[in-house]
Amino acid sequence: LAESSPTEHEASFLKQFRVTPAPSGTAAGSIGSDLILISTQETENPKPRRSEGSRSIELRRLCIQALGDQFVPVVLHSLGVSKCYYSPAGNCVANAVPKKKRGGGLTDVNDTMELLDVTVGDVTCGLGNVFYNKGAIGAFVTLKRKPAGHWGHDDTATAPKQKPSVTKLLLVSAHMAAHAKHVEARNDDYWRIVEELTTQAPSHFLPQSKPVAKPPTLNIEQPPKQGKRKKRRRKAAIVPAGGAIMDMDEEHTNAVGKNSDASSRLMDSADHVFFAGDLNYRIELPRERTEHTIRQIERLKQQQTNQVTTHPEELEEQIVNLFQELLKFDQLHRVMYAAGSNKDVSNAFPGFREGKINFLPTFKFDKRSKEYDTSHKQRIPSWTDRILYKSRYDRGSSDSSDNGCSSGIISVLDYRSIPDAVHSDHRPVIGTYRIDF
């Protein structure tokens, strides 16, 4: 948030998540969000403090004001040693659910799900992996489905009995390594976050450890002895199903990247994962070319708004093509889709998706301005602020051509920035998702 807090007007976009009656004639009884994750970075200046800072208090007030009394916070966590909800220079995770209570200490999320358990962990990724100016917070959320006809439903007699099932959500708020050249540092931050959160996950969140099976070996006959010639030991080999032989003495790395065992253990056990925050990946283009493309997009979008064209489809296609020209040089896309359509091979975030980007880069702006960085550093406009997601039940395609948003389990209803929130050198990014439970 830099030197100032957002105004009430700048934070008013949070109101759209409120639960409101659905328009007449629609099947739904109400519209709005069942669960809200608010992720912030650099809420306060990075200095030691004994109590919660004024900007942190103001942000919390704005969130409560915007969401109203329909929601109750179930997690307020800071990364750092300060005893406050939003820590100095840290990340904040705030999970809110609609304010409906029932007996037994559980919170109803909606008519079919209830909140069973929430556990929080955090990881430092700053200097020496000690300072908390960079890092992440993970919320391990367990939801339980209500059986048909249970807790107020009137269809008990007609609905078949269902065994309640549990859904595990992992919600991560992250602030990763800065500067355009530090792509590897950001990738390393991802693997460190996953590995450390694995050690902090509640026991019910992870699969039971199984003994490691001894790899199959191919028996190779030793050559017959010839005189006093010294016998040479043959190396054992693994024979995968495809028939290729991999030498056990050779060093080889799993295709999904570093620490893939830790990653798969946590990421594959969570039903759905959302990874959000200032991930800090940049656009690898000259500033002049990036700005020129942005100006073209702005001009075409203005024509689209003013409806000055007789061929709206062609105009939309031009805008999409210009976004693709920038996204081809987006570091995060290159990291996620390192092997084209093969999501099993990537430098970080294997298996993750992202909603379609049709908003302008969210960093770096002059504060209280809509102009990109005019300082002597002239930083290149980039999409540093992102929301990624994945589901273990994913059925859709996952290549970079569709922006990875064709999952059959998680639907992206909205993914955009808030250009009018000019209090910071970043623009907030929001996403709305529907999960098929």
Side-chain angles (χ1 to χ4, degrees):
L1 298 179
E3 283 83 20
S4 62
S5 298
T7 64
E8 291 186 6
H9 172 71
E10 289 173 322
S12 62
F13 67 87
L14 290 170
K15 294 179 180 178
Q16 69 178 301
F17 300 118
R18 288 181 178 181
V19 179
T20 58
S24 59
T26 59
S30 63
I31 57 175
S33 298
D34 296 317
L35 182 68
I36 299 173
L37 165 68
I38 299 173
S39 165
T40 70
Q41 294 79 43
E42 296 184 358
T43 310
E44 297 284 357
N45 292 326
K47 66 179 182 181
R49 58 182 74 241
R50 292 173 178 264
S51 59
E52 186 175 6
S54 59
R55 292 202 298 274
S56 171
I57 294 173
E58 174 63 9
L59 179 63
R60 190 154 46 87
R61 184 191 71 81
L62 290 170
C63 291
I64 294 172
Q65 181 185 57
L67 295 176
D69 60 0
Q70 294 178 331
F71 291 85
V72 55
V74 293
V75 173
L76 291 168
H77 190 82
S78 61
L79 177 61
V81 297
S82 300
K83 294 183 179 179
C84 61
Y85 292 121
Y86 300 81
S87 77
N91 309 319
C92 164
V93 172
N95 300 302
V97 296
K99 198 174 183 179
K100 302 183 208 171
K101 288 281 189 176
R102 73 169 191 90
L106 299 179
T107 301
D108 290 358
V109 174
N110 54 33
D111 290 336
T112 59
M113 302 292 290
E114 66 177 348
L115 184 65
L116 190 63
D117 179 70
V118 180
T119 305
V120 183
D122 55 46
V123 184
T124 56
C125 295
L127 184 64
N129 290 328
V130 173
F131 287 90
Y132 54 84
N133 61 315
K134 297 292 187 289
I137 294 170
F140 306 91
V141 181
T142 306
L143 302 173
K144 186 170 76 172
R145 182 184 303 156
K146 304 173 187 176
H150 198 40
W151 298 328
H153 290 254
D154 296 328
D155 55 353
T156 309
T158 57
K161 295 294 182 182
Q162 299 178 7
K163 182 180 179 180
S165 61
V166 170
T167 297
K168 296 176 289 187
L169 301 179
L170 174 59
L171 309 176
V172 181
S173 166
H175 192 185
M176 297 166 69
H179 305 302
K181 63 182 179 181
H182 291 158
V183 181
E184 281 300 315
R186 288 186 275 279
N187 295 346
D188 290 343
D189 282 351
Y190 168 79
W191 294 110
R192 171 174 168 77
I193 289 165
V194 171
E195 186 173 2
E196 290 298 316
L197 287 180
T198 301
T199 65
Q200 301 175 49
S203 57
H204 69 270
F205 227 82
L206 299 174
Q208 295 296 321
S209 299
K210 296 180 180 179
V212 179
K214 186 177 180 180
T217 58
L218 178 65
N219 294 322
I220 303 175
E221 277 191 22
Q222 303 295 334
K225 295 182 180 180
Q226 297 180 358
K228 295 183 179 180
R229 186 176 178 180
K230 188 176 180 180
K231 182 169 66 175
R232 182 184 177 189
R233 183 178 63 87
R234 298 292 299 271
K235 294 181 287 187
I238 293 180
V239 184
I245 297 179
M246 294 186 294
D247 195 332
M248 286 293 288
D249 285 1
E250 293 179 1
E251 242 183 58
H252 51 270
T253 307
N254 191 299
V256 298
K258 305 172 185 177
N259 302 323
S260 58
D261 290 341
S263 170
S264 60
R265 187 160 181 243
L266 176 60
M267 293 299 178
D268 293 346
S269 63
D271 294 302
H272 313 290
V273 183
F274 288 86
F275 201 109
D278 181 3
L279 307 188
N280 253 324
Y281 288 93
R282 311 300 174 93
I283 293 176
E284 291 184 331
L285 280 175
R287 164 80 182 235
E288 295 77 12
R289 182 175 170 184
T290 305
E291 278 201 313
H292 176 69
T293 306
I294 289 173
R295 300 301 175 225
Q296 287 181 292
I297 293 173
E298 288 177 329
R299 178 176 55 82
L300 294 176
K301 278 183 170 284
Q302 190 62 47
Q303 292 180 20
Q304 200 174 47
T305 303
N306 296 337
Q307 298 180 340
V308 296
T309 179
T310 56
H311 303 284
E313 297 85 2
E314 293 182 7
L315 188 62
E316 179 63 27
E317 185 179 357
Q318 292 179 47
I319 294 173
V320 170
N321 289 339
L322 287 171
F323 273 114
Q324 289 301 318
E325 283 299 312
L326 292 179
L327 287 167
K328 282 192 298 186
F329 298 93
D330 173 60
Q331 291 175 343
L332 181 56
H333 265 221
R334 289 181 170 182
V335 165
M336 291 173 64
Y337 308 110
S341 60
N342 183 3
K343 289 294 286 292
D344 290 332
V345 181
S346 70
N347 298 314
F349 300 100
F352 275 88
R353 302 174 180 274
E354 185 179 23
K356 183 178 180 180
I357 292 182
N358 57 8
F359 52 88
L360 295 175
T362 57
F363 173 87
K364 173 179 174 57
F365 290 89
D366 293 339
K367 290 160 192 171
R368 292 291 171 192
S369 167
K370 294 189 177 182
E371 293 294 325
Y372 287 103
D373 185 19
T374 60
S375 73
H376 68 281
K377 293 184 178 181
Q378 292 281 296
R379 276 162 284 208
I380 298 168
S382 299
W383 287 290
T384 56
D385 312 282
R386 315 288 275 267
I387 305 173
L388 310 179
Y389 64 93
K390 68 180 296 186
S391 173
R392 64 185 295 194
Y393 310 109
D394 203 352
R395 295 190 299 259
S397 67
S398 55
D399 59 26
S400 57
S401 61
D402 66 355
N403 229 107
C405 57
S406 58
S407 170
I409 302 299
I410 301 177
S411 303
V412 184
L413 306 182
D414 187 21
Y415 188 46
R416 58 192 169 92
S417 67
I418 309 297
D420 292 332
V422 297
H423 62 281
S424 169
D425 55 353
H426 291 253
R427 295 294 176 263
V429 171
I430 62 172
T432 304
Y433 304 85
R434 178 186 292 122
I435 300 177
D436 180 8
F437 287 103

